[in-house]
């Protein structure tokens, strides 16, 4: 039985590993850029929502508070509107609603 051993040149291995490293760095850079663009696109509607809540409540509302209020509204709608859902689902919606309201009040007192 003949054994074949492949021996790599150190320069080839170093060059290949640097190519992989460069490709990985470029991929991470593209991913960071896409995440930044996405976060900027998401920030605009959230700022508009925050401004809407500030106008309706006649007090400043941060983006985090606007998200908590929106979650509370969605949970309330999920709890109240469907009349033929299971008790478990209704209980989960109630817990979500109470959690969102509590989180909003906590953020309101801390001023964030």
């Amino acid at each position: 039985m003949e054994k074949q051993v492949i021996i790599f040149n150190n320069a080839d291995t170093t060059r290949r590993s640097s190519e992989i490293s460069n490709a990985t760095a470029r991929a991470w850079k593209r991913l960071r850029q896409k995440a930044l663009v996405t976060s900027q696109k998401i920030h605009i509607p959230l700022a508009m929502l925050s401004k809407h809540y500030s106008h309706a409540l006649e007090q400043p509302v941060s983006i985090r508070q606007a998200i908590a209020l929106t979650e509370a509204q969605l949970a309330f709608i999920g709890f109240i509107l469907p009349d033929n859902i299971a008790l478990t689902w209704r209980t989960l919606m109630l817990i979500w609603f109470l959690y969102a309201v509590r989180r909003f009040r906590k953020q309101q007192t801390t001023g964030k």
Side-chain angles (χ1 to χ4, degrees):
M1 178 183 273
E2 185 177 322
K3 293 185 180 181
Q4 295 180 357
V5 178
I6 299 174
I7 300 174
F8 291 103
N9 186 355
N10 193 21
D12 291 338
T13 306
T14 304
R15 183 175 45 105
R16 181 69 181 141
S17 65
S18 68
E19 288 173 1
I20 292 172
S21 176
N22 290 339
T24 304
R26 285 191 306 272
W28 278 109
K29 185 177 180 180
R30 282 193 311 269
L31 184 63
R32 280 192 303 269
Q33 288 172 346
K34 286 183 180 183
L36 180 63
V37 168
T38 303
S39 68
Q40 289 170 347
K41 287 181 180 179
I42 290 173
H43 182 71
I44 293 169
L46 291 176
M48 291 172 59
L49 185 64
S50 174
K51 187 176 178 181
H52 167 72
Y53 282 132
S54 294
H55 180 70
L57 296 175
E58 297 178 350
Q59 65 181 15
V61 175
S62 70
I63 291 178
R64 287 185 181 188
Q65 290 173 336
I67 291 171
L69 278 173
T70 304
E71 284 185 24
Q73 287 177 338
L74 290 173
F76 183 76
I77 289 169
F79 176 69
I80 296 296
L81 286 184
D83 60 346
N84 58 351
I85 60 171
L87 183 61
T88 307
W89 180 257
R90 196 174 294 273
T91 305
L92 287 173
M93 288 290 120
L94 178 62
I95 291 169
W96 183 29
F97 171 71
L98 294 174
Y99 173 74
V101 169
R102 181 173 170 252
R103 195 172 68 184
F104 172 73
R105 286 194 176 161
K106 185 178 180 181
Q107 289 173 355
Q108 195 175 19
T109 58
T110 60
K112 291 184 178 180

